[in-house]
Amino acid sequence: MRDVVEDARHKSVEQAAKLSPRLIHEVIRYDGEEELDRPFRSLFWSGIAAGVLISFSVIGKGVFRTYLPETEWRPLVENFGYSFGFLLVILGRMQLFTENTIVTVLPVVAQRTFDCLRRLTRLWLIVLVANVIGCFIAATALAYGNMMPPELAAEVREISVKAMAMPAGEQLARGIPAGILIAALVWMLPQSGASSFWVILLFTWLIGAAGFTHIIAGSVEMAYLAVQASIGPWEAFAGFFLPVLIGNIVGGTAIFAFLAWAQVRDEIVGPDGEGGNRASSLHD
């Protein structure tokens, strides 16, 4: 009987212990492998849903700007509204392109095969295109659907104009920390448990409050002006979309994903590069 109690206690301690970096890596890598194998229609419609719902980040920020007094501290509060769309998308497990800059990259970094790279490219293209289509659907509805009171519509437009006014180089530079923060958010979610809501809220609030640029949330602002012919296609693509896309990929993939792999590489494959994936048994 005593052995049973001790065994139960030991298991409880193991379950309560924090996940090691290697285990976090394996959880995310396993999720990434499942995402890479999802069928086209599932990825596409999930991506469109994410593009539509991320518009609530712009709406949420606009609501705070509309009804809060114009003070020095207002930007700190209004950017909690920026988190609304991210909460809907991430907790709803929808396909958001910037999440995939780490989730689906880890299997590619670990396996380094052409087939894995091909599947990653396929997923990125599907999700990115679907997200942007969703953003344009939401922006068109907001611009012409008479869904917002005039004062809120004016604030949404002001937010969008300000977001598109930055030079392309600055858009790219501000996209890098946004990519890092989204990747760090994804890295933290496996062990956040019931605190997921607050982790998402605080990380995405920081993106908004610091003025960093996010390719999908920002595409709602871009699309809102584009469908009203306030900006042209080239200005939208070269001035915002391409620079921010590059910045987010650099931050989420080239920096965070490869750093995440570097810190666990020797524990997974061994310092000599051999030994296989010792953590794969987690999912057997």
Side-chain angles (χ1 to χ4, degrees), residues 6-112:
E6 287 298 323
D7 186 55
R9 182 182 300 173
H10 179 69
K11 288 181 178 179
S12 297
V13 171
E14 285 185 334
Q15 291 173 356
K18 292 181 179 179
L19 294 176
S20 69
R22 179 173 64 87
L23 292 178
I24 294 173
H25 177 278
E26 287 304 291
V27 169
I28 296 174
R29 184 184 65 80
Y30 182 69
D31 286 345
E33 289 177 349
E34 289 193 329
E35 293 296 327
L36 289 174
D37 290 331
R38 291 185 68 186
F40 171 87
R41 284 190 294 184
S42 297
L43 292 171
F44 184 73
W45 288 111
S46 181
I48 287 183
V52 171
L53 291 181
I54 202 70
S55 66
F56 284 95
S57 286
V58 183
I59 296 170
K61 186 173 180 177
V63 168
F64 279 103
R65 286 179 62 90
T66 300
Y67 299 108
L68 284 176
E70 192 169 342
T71 62
E72 293 182 355
W73 49 261
R74 189 177 76 171
L76 296 177
V77 179
E78 71 185 31
N79 279 292
F80 281 111
Y82 185 77
S83 299
F84 290 175
F86 288 94
L87 285 165
L88 286 169
V89 171
I90 297 174
L91 291 179
R93 300 286 293 176
M94 297 167 193
Q95 289 289 336
L96 186 65
F97 177 78
T98 45
E99 280 190 276
N100 285 322
T101 58
I102 179 172
V103 171
T104 54
V105 166
L106 292 187
V108 177
V109 176
Q111 298 178 25
R112 284 170 285 183

Side-chain angles (χ1 to χ4, degrees), residues 51-247:
V52 171
L53 291 181
I54 202 70
S55 66
F56 284 95
S57 286
V58 183
I59 296 170
K61 186 173 180 177
V63 168
F64 279 103
R65 286 179 62 90
T66 300
Y67 299 108
L68 284 176
E70 192 169 342
T71 62
E72 293 182 355
W73 49 261
R74 189 177 76 171
L76 296 177
V77 179
E78 71 185 31
N79 279 292
F80 281 111
Y82 185 77
S83 299
F84 290 175
F86 288 94
L87 285 165
L88 286 169
V89 171
I90 297 174
L91 291 179
R93 300 286 293 176
M94 297 167 193
Q95 289 289 336
L96 186 65
F97 177 78
T98 45
E99 280 190 276
N100 285 322
T101 58
I102 179 172
V103 171
T104 54
V105 166
L106 292 187
V108 177
V109 176
Q111 298 178 25
R112 284 170 285 183
T113 65
F114 177 78
D115 181 65
C116 205
L117 180 61
R118 178 189 60 79
R119 289 187 294 152
L120 173 67
T121 304
R122 165 188 171 272
L123 182 141
W124 274 16
L125 288 174
I126 294 170
V127 173
L128 182 60
V129 170
N131 282 171
V132 174
I133 290 173
C135 290
F136 269 89
I137 291 172
T140 303
L142 292 176
Y144 298 109
N146 198 27
M147 294 180 174
M148 299 183 292
E151 59 273 19
L152 176 56
E155 290 295 345
V156 169
R157 180 174 179 81
E158 183 178 334
I159 292 169
S160 301
V161 169
K162 183 178 179 181
M164 295 301 110
M166 280 187 288
E170 189 173 348
Q171 297 274 19
L172 189 154
R174 293 194 184 196
I176 294 173
I180 293 173
L181 285 172
I182 291 295
L185 164 61
V186 173
W187 185 263
M188 293 179 66
L189 283 179
Q191 63 176 342
S192 61
S195 302
S196 296
F197 175 91
W198 299 107
V199 172
I200 298 168
L201 180 73
L202 292 176
F203 272 63
T204 53
W205 169 83
L206 181 58
I207 292 173
F212 300 146
T213 51
H214 185 271
I215 184 60
I216 307 304
S219 287
V220 176
E221 299 160 341
M222 174 195 74
Y224 189 73
L225 297 180
V227 298
Q228 299 178 78
S230 297
I231 58 173
W234 179 249
E235 182 183 356
F237 179 76
F240 166 79
F241 190 83
L242 184 60
V244 177
L245 177 64
I246 294 172

